């Protein structure tokens, strides 16, 4: 079956958004249509612009990763090259983030910085379009000779996404980035197309980059090359390694796999590219395969926070139910790539479950991974920190991904620019449209203004203090004379939400609440979500946290820190019947502390001894570590 476009791009201007499929159940409203104006995400966007992006630029310079392009341009490689084999990609992700930021909030200084960096990148491109600072020159390994680990195609995928961001935010720009990307993409199609090198990259990303570049530039051969890479995956074209070809998703063809597996970031990037190809080619079989794999991974291989990846050594998904809290790797980039995949599936089929996962991941992985200073980051996001760690020198570069405190930079710093590009483009994940009306999926203070399919303007304000408060108020400012449908997502945890449309009150089930009518300027619709702290139990097959509970409030997961307990969180215990209470906007839970006995053997009869429980404050997981080194846990053991 071929999907019929509801919004063919010949009829309307493509949205200013990271993903812009030509067909699907809904289309995204981009940065020119949605402006986040207040609350948590507006503050995070401000911090991203004023702190995170300048910090990333400074570290790209001080680490020499930007300088690698200067060396390439003047023939100084390989002797002076610095950084890992994939460090070029961090420059491209930074460019993408800066492009979205300049598109969201024009700034002359940021625009000049963007152009200066592009000029340095462009100067390093070879005449035939090849662009990489690690391979291909005298003294370096030949081009395309290390596809398992070389990341050449992966880096280009991020270059293509940066070019898409620039093309969509400033289609009239003359900086040259789109031309650089086009030359590189043409080279990839020549080298890896039919009759060329019949292999894939060890790190998926080129698939998504090529597909979106093809959509942006209306170049079908880029999409065809993306499809070719996806069809080649899983046929063993990459060498086997100690973790198996599943690490690269090269063990089973995409259409045959039953779940997302292997390296979590690679898996999500590949699946996102597969959705892009499936949607554009009307390939329901491929789309259903990705739905099947994603549904399985969400149901059995995803943490409470939305994080993915329980293996440290290979940054990979574990087997079903293998979700240890203290060994949660939950790489920040896996959270970003999960959002990318979920958004594409949402655009394809409109299922609000995808938006539920996006919300959970945004509040509990993306928001957690950036410190309140905007200049420190978690690479991995554990759910149980056993040791408090040490304060970090803000000038250092961390050699380790697993850290007990946020670090200013890493030897592998894929996460900071990935976070920056996601937060800069966040407005494009808020709402969608179809030929019936507008759907709001993520809640924040926002202004939404778009042109309906029938040519009239629809505009409204979203006013909310979510997730601190459950009231979402939509105030209509412009509306057509004809009726249209406003749809508001009711999250899966909201069993008793209500909707007031000025005429009557409805009690809602999770899903999409809709109001279809003629709206007038000044009309107000109110959605009330039941934001009460609640106890959450793990699935009984998750061995690692059986007999434990977690506390959630709305989409926010809470954590216990030693800072509040006054002891290591490993000694905490909760009565099975304990319930959280809320006071002054904070969540408290009765918690006891087990004795730190001096046993000589850690096994024997059950020991339930603990001090009398007292109420202890819990903190939103995203805020843990903000007050300095601490121990922390999300899953709290209960008394037998």
């Amino acid at each position: 079956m071929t999907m019929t476009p509801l919004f063919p791009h010949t009829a309307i201007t493509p949205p200013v958004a990271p993903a812009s499929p030509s067909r699907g159940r809904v289309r995204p409203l981009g940065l020119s249509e949605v402006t986040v104006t207040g609350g948590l995400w507006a503050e995070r966007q401000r911090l991203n612009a004023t702190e995170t992006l300048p910090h990333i630029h400074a570290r790209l310079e001080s680490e020499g990763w930007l300088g690698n392009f200067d060396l390439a341009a003047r023939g100084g490689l390989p002797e002076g090259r610095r950084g890992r084999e994939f460090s070029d990609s961090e420059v491209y992700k930074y460019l993408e983030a800066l492009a979205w930021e300049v598109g969201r909030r024009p700034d002359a200084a940021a625009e000049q910085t963007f152009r200066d960096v592009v000029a340095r990148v462009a100067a390093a491109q070879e005449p035939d379009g090849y662009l990489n600072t690690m391979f291909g020159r005298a003294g370096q390994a030949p081009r395309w000779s290390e596809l398992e680990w070389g990341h050449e195609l992966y880096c280009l995928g991020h270059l293509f996404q940066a070019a898409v961001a620039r093309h969509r935010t400033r289609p009239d720009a003359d900086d040259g980035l789109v031309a650089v990307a086009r030359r590189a993409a043409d080279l990839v199609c020549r080298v890896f197309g039919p009759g060329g090198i019949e292999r894939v990259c060890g790190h998926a990303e080129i698939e998504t980059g090529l597909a979106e570049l093809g959509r942006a530039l209306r170049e079908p051969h880029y999409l065809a090359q993306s499809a070719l890479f996806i069809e080649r995956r899983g046929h063993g074209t990459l060498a086997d390694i100690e973790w198996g070809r599943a690490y690269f998703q090269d063990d089973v063809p995409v259409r045959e796999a039953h779940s997302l597996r292997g390296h979590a970031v690679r898996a999500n990037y590949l699946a996102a590219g597969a959705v892009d190809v499936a949607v554009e080619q009307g390939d329901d079989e491929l789309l259903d395969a990705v739905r099947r794999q994603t549904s399985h991974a969400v149901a059995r291989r995803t943490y409470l926070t939305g994080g993915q990846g329980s293996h440290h050594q290979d940054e990979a998904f574990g087997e079903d139910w293998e979700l240890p809290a203290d060994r949660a790797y939950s790489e920040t980039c896996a959270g970003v790539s999960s959002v990318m995949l979920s958004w594409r599936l949402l655009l394809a089929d409109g299922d609000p479950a995808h938006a539920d996962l996006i919300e959970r991941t945004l509040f509990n992985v993306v928001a957690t991974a950036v410190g309140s200073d905007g200049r420190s980051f978690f690479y991995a996001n554990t759910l149980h920190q056993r040791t408090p760690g040490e304060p970090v020198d803000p000038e250092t570069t961390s050699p380790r991904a697993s850290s007990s405190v946020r670090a200013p930079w890493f030897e592998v710093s894929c996460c900071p620019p990935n976070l920056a590009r996601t937060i800069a483009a966040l407005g494009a994940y808020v709402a969608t449209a179809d030929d019936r009306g507008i759907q709001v999926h993520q809640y924040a203070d926002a202004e939404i203004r778009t042109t309906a399919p029938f040519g009239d303007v629809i505009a409204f304000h979203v006013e909310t203090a979510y997730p601190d408060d459950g009231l979402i108020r939509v105030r209509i400012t412009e509306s057509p004379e004809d009726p249209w449908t406003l749809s508001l997502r009711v999250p899966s945890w909201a069993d008793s939400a209500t909707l007031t449309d000025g005429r009557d009150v409805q009690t809602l089930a999770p899903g999409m609440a809709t109001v279809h009518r003629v709206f007038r300027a000044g009309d107000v619709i109110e959605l009330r979500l039941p934001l009460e702290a609640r106890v959450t139990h793990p699935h009984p097959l998750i061995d690692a946290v059986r007999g434990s509970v977690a506390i959630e409030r709305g989409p926010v997961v809470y954590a216990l820190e030693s800072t509040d307990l006054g002891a290591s969180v490993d000694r905490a215990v909760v009565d099975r019947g304990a319930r959280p209470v809320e006071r002054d906007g904070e969540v408290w839970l009765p918690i006891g502390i087990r004795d730190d006995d001096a046993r000589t053997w850690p096994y024997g009869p059950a020991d339930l001894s603990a001090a009398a429980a007292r109420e202890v404050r819990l903190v939103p997981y995203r805020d843990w570590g903000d007050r300095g080194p601490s121990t922390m846990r999300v899953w709290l053991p209960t008394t037998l």
Side-chain angles (χ1 to χ4, degrees):
M1 180 189 76
T2 299
M3 299 170 68
T4 301
L6 293 173
F7 283 90
H9 286 176
T10 55
I12 63 170
T13 302
V16 181
S20 181
S22 65
R23 65 189 82 200
R25 174 63 188 81
V26 293
R27 73 168 181 91
L29 298 187
L31 301 186
S32 62
E33 299 165 291
V34 179
T35 302
V36 178
T37 57
L40 172 68
W41 293 118
E43 172 58 22
R44 291 304 178 97
Q45 287 194 314
R46 184 200 64 78
L47 196 68
N48 192 51
T50 60
E51 301 294 336
T52 304
L53 285 168
H55 174 75
I56 292 171
H57 190 193
R59 295 310 292 254
L60 291 174
E61 290 281 22
S62 65
E63 297 290 330
W65 301 354
L66 254 175
N68 290 337
F69 291 91
D70 304 330
L71 291 171
R74 63 173 182 261
L77 295 176
E79 288 76 17
R81 191 187 185 282
R82 296 169 63 188
R84 293 287 300 271
E85 62 275 14
F86 39 73
S87 64
D88 292 2
S89 70
E90 316 314 344
V91 175
Y92 302 148
K93 280 183 280 188
Y94 166 70
L95 280 174
E96 182 186 349
L98 199 55
W100 293 127
E101 180 57 33
V102 171
R104 182 184 75 87
R105 190 180 58 88
D107 179 86
E111 173 70 21
Q112 189 57 54
T113 297
F114 183 91
R115 289 175 176 271
D116 291 344
V117 174
V118 168
R120 295 166 71 179
V121 169
Q125 189 169 35
E126 301 290 327
D128 66 350
Y130 184 78
L131 181 57
N132 191 280
T133 67
M134 186 70 182
F135 295 90
R137 295 169 181 81
Q140 294 181 321
R143 297 178 181 183
W144 324 120
S145 60
E146 298 180 16
L147 287 173
E148 286 80 11
W149 302 107
H151 290 75
E152 288 163 278
L153 291 170
Y154 164 83
C155 289
L156 290 179
H158 281 300
L159 170 69
F160 299 158
Q161 289 183 313
V164 167
R166 186 58 163 173
H167 178 74
R168 291 199 173 132
T169 55
R170 283 289 308 277
D172 58 340
D174 58 353
D175 54 83
L177 181 60
V178 173
V180 168
R182 190 187 291 272
R183 286 193 294 271
D186 289 342
L187 176 68
V188 169
C189 292
R190 292 196 301 272
V191 173
F192 289 90
I197 299 174
E198 296 184 356
R199 301 184 69 201
V200 297
C201 183
H203 196 311
E205 163 61 17
I206 187 71
E207 298 84 354
T208 305
L210 273 174
E212 203 59 51
L213 187 68
R215 293 199 283 218
L217 302 184
R218 301 179 184 274
E219 292 287 0
H221 60 290
Y222 297 162
L223 181 73
Q225 183 61 50
S226 177
L228 191 56
F229 280 135
I230 288 166
E231 294 303 331
R232 285 177 184 161
R233 184 78 57 168
H235 292 281
T237 70
L238 299 172
D240 202 1
I241 60 172
E242 60 179 309
W243 304 315
R245 288 193 176 94
Y247 174 82
F248 304 120
Q249 296 78 46
D250 196 34
D251 56 328
V252 179
V254 173
R255 296 175 188 272
E256 299 175 16
H258 78 283
S259 183
L260 301 181
R261 69 219 180 279
H263 188 275
V265 182
R266 286 167 163 85
N268 280 314
Y269 279 161
L270 177 63
V275 173
D276 289 338
V277 167
V279 166
E280 296 304 320
Q281 296 187 342
D283 189 337
D284 281 1
E285 179 191 37
L286 180 58
L287 187 58
D288 285 344
V290 178
R291 285 196 189 104
R292 176 181 70 245
Q293 294 159 32
T294 304
S295 296
H296 186 279
V298 170
R300 301 185 179 204
R301 300 181 177 187
T302 299
Y303 283 98
L304 180 66
T305 56
Q308 294 180 329
S310 57
H311 287 185
H312 281 235
Q313 67 176 4
D314 51 351
E315 302 182 317
F317 285 97
E319 296 301 321
D320 291 356
W321 318 117
E322 185 185 356
L323 295 164
D326 58 350
R327 293 297 293 167
Y329 195 70
S330 182
E331 184 183 342
T332 295
C333 288
V336 168
S337 60
S338 171
V339 169
M340 291 171 57
L341 170 57
S342 294
W343 183 244
R344 284 162 168 77
L345 288 170
L346 174 63
L347 296 178
D349 59 31
D351 186 344
H354 304 308
D356 283 350
L357 182 59
I358 290 172
E359 177 182 70
R360 180 174 293 275
T361 307
L362 287 176
F363 279 115
N364 301 297
V365 178
V366 171
T368 304
V370 185
S372 58
D373 60 355
R375 295 171 175 261
S376 56
F377 312 91
F378 281 137
Y379 187 110
N381 295 276
T382 186
L383 274 68
H384 184 175
Q385 182 63 43
R386 293 182 179 275
T387 58
E390 298 293 334
V392 173
D393 180 349
E395 301 303 318
T396 62
T397 295
S398 175
R400 294 181 299 278
S402 298
S403 175
S404 57
V405 293
R406 295 176 181 86
W409 202 249
F410 304 91
E411 289 182 357
V412 177
S413 266
C414 48
C415 297
N418 231 349
L419 287 164
R421 68 175 179 146
T422 303
I423 294 171
L426 198 63
Y429 294 100
V430 168
T432 58
D434 62 13
D435 56 4
R436 292 166 289 277
I438 308 298
Q439 306 82 40
V440 181
H441 303 282
Q442 304 301 328
Y443 296 122
D445 267 4
E447 295 182 4
I448 297 177
R449 191 176 195 275
T450 188
T451 301
F454 33 86
D456 293 313
V457 170
I458 294 175
F460 54 87
H461 297 304
V462 179
E463 303 165 3
T464 183
Y466 190 80
D468 295 330
D469 187 273
L471 175 61
I472 294 97
R473 179 179 292 115
V474 176
R475 190 181 304 277
I476 307 296
T477 54
E478 295 183 62
S479 181
E481 294 295 326
D482 296 320
W484 56 278
T485 301
L486 173 66
S487 301
L488 304 174
R489 179 177 59 89
V490 179
S492 59
W493 47 263
D495 291 326
S496 56
T498 60
L499 182 73
T500 305
D501 67 357
R503 300 176 182 178
D504 50 34
V505 179
Q506 304 175 48
T507 300
L508 307 168
M512 295 300 287
T514 62
V515 179
H516 178 79
R517 72 177 206 214
V518 174
F519 292 92
R520 304 297 184 198
D523 284 355
V524 174
I525 296 87
E526 291 186 347
L527 174 67
R528 287 188 177 273
L529 301 176
L531 281 184
E532 297 176 353
R534 63 189 186 275
V535 176
T536 297
H537 296 267
H539 191 286
L541 292 180
I542 305 177
D543 291 329
V545 291
R546 186 179 296 126
S548 298
V549 296
I551 305 301
E552 298 181 272
R553 184 176 185 272
V556 176
V557 173
Y558 277 74
L560 172 67
E561 281 195 274
S562 56
T563 309
D564 299 299
L565 184 66
S568 170
V569 297
D570 290 341
R571 295 170 58 191
V573 63
V574 177
D575 187 271
R576 289 172 58 186
R579 291 293 180 267
V581 296
E582 298 183 43
R583 286 198 306 272
D584 301 324
E586 296 181 334
V587 174
W588 300 73
L589 186 70
I591 296 176
I593 300 177
R594 294 190 190 279
D595 291 337
D596 189 9
D597 59 32
R599 292 188 182 193
T600 59
W601 180 245
Y603 310 100
D607 180 4
L608 306 181
S609 61
R614 59 182 176 85
E615 286 189 351
V616 179
R617 184 174 72 120
L618 306 182
V619 298
Y621 175 73
R622 67 175 181 271
D623 293 336
W624 93 267
D626 274 353
R627 297 171 291 174
S630 67
T631 60
M632 177 277 302
R633 68 188 305 160
V634 167
W635 289 105
L636 304 171
T638 61
T639 56
L640 298 177

